[in-house]
Amino acid sequence: MAATAVRYLRSVGSPTTAARPDAPLSQPAPAPPRPGRPALRAVRADERLPLDPAEFRRVLGHFASGVTVVAAVDEEGPAGFACQSFSALSLDPPLIAFMVARTSTTWPRIARAGVFCVNILGAGQGELCRGFAVSGSRRPDKFAGVEHRPAPVTGSPRLVDVPAWIDCTVHAVHTGGDHLVVVGRVRALGTDDAAARSGPLLFHRGAFASLAPLDPDA
């Protein structure tokens, strides 16, 4: 897995030492000119399933997921994108994973940084999510008006008033069709109990949703 991460990070000009548990975290060297968007993996005709993409999205949309903002800082400043394909992966070592489209214009910046913070959004943060869901090419400064602090280990943007956050280094990157599967090594994490009271922001069947408040007398 580590070799996969090194190959990918080198291809986008990222330092490759940050993923080692014993490596000191430091500011990355100035990155070379940004490469163009990576080409999608070619799929042979006999690999394609007879599925309508709209039907694929409709059916899988019945699975409710949480919503996060994955963020990092590079030589241009803070960068981030909304991500609903986030999950815990391993306890020992502590790993998380998320998926990002290979056409993302924000992911190469995070890959070059080699570190990131996953911000888990709360039920009232739908508008915040929408701001980060816009393509970086259409809205270069997604952090305008968004309050954030540096995460304790990597310095990645930790958004203020989110229920929870996970500070990570890039551990591995795998190809998954038209997406990349990114594995992060957890370096620090925490919660904001006051922000967590409203519950998580969910995405279900193409719209935001939230859990019903818990009945304290139940």
Side-chain angles (χ1 to χ4, degrees), residues 214-218:
L214 295 176
D215 183 355
D217 299 324

Side-chain angles (χ1 to χ4, degrees), residues 2-217:
T4 303
V6 169
R7 285 195 299 271
Y8 180 81
L9 294 173
R10 282 177 177 164
S11 73
V12 295
S14 173
T16 57
T17 57
R20 298 203 315 267
D22 59 344
L25 293 173
S26 60
Q27 293 297 323
R34 183 180 303 176
R37 290 186 178 185
L40 298 182
R41 184 179 76 89
V43 180
R44 300 193 309 268
D46 60 354
E47 291 182 303
R48 296 186 182 279
L49 294 177
L51 293 176
D52 175 12
E55 179 68 359
F56 183 86
R57 292 189 181 96
R58 186 190 71 81
V59 173
L60 270 68
H62 283 73
F63 179 74
S65 64
V67 185
T68 70
V69 169
V70 178
V73 177
D74 68 356
E75 70 282 356
E76 299 179 31
F81 63 92
C83 178
Q84 67 183 92
S85 56
F86 165 80
S87 67
L89 178 61
S90 167
L91 181 62
D92 185 15
L95 302 174
I96 57 86
F98 66 85
M99 277 67 80
V100 58
R102 294 178 68 182
T103 54
S104 169
T105 58
T106 302
W107 163 246
R109 296 180 59 186
I110 296 175
R112 282 195 297 272
V115 297
F116 59 89
C117 183
V118 178
N119 296 274
I120 298 176
L121 302 188
Q125 295 179 314
E127 285 304 313
L128 178 64
C129 177
R130 289 187 180 94
F132 281 94
V134 177
S135 169
S137 61
R138 292 173 53 198
R139 184 182 177 188
D141 187 7
K142 299 180 186 180
F143 281 83
V146 177
E147 191 174 359
H148 57 92
R149 302 283 186 270
V153 176
T154 72
S156 302
R158 177 171 62 87
L159 305 187
V160 173
D161 295 330
V162 295
W165 53 271
I166 305 102
D167 196 14
C168 303
T169 54
V170 175
H171 181 75
V173 182
H174 305 283
T175 301
D178 57 8
H179 277 60
L180 297 171
V181 181
V182 181
V183 179
R185 177 70 180 262
V186 178
R187 303 299 181 180
L189 71 172
T191 61
D192 181 331
D193 292 340
R197 290 195 185 102
S198 63
L201 179 65
L202 301 179
F203 195 74
H204 180 244
R205 299 182 68 179
F208 291 127
S210 59
L211 296 173
L214 295 176
D215 183 355
D217 299 324

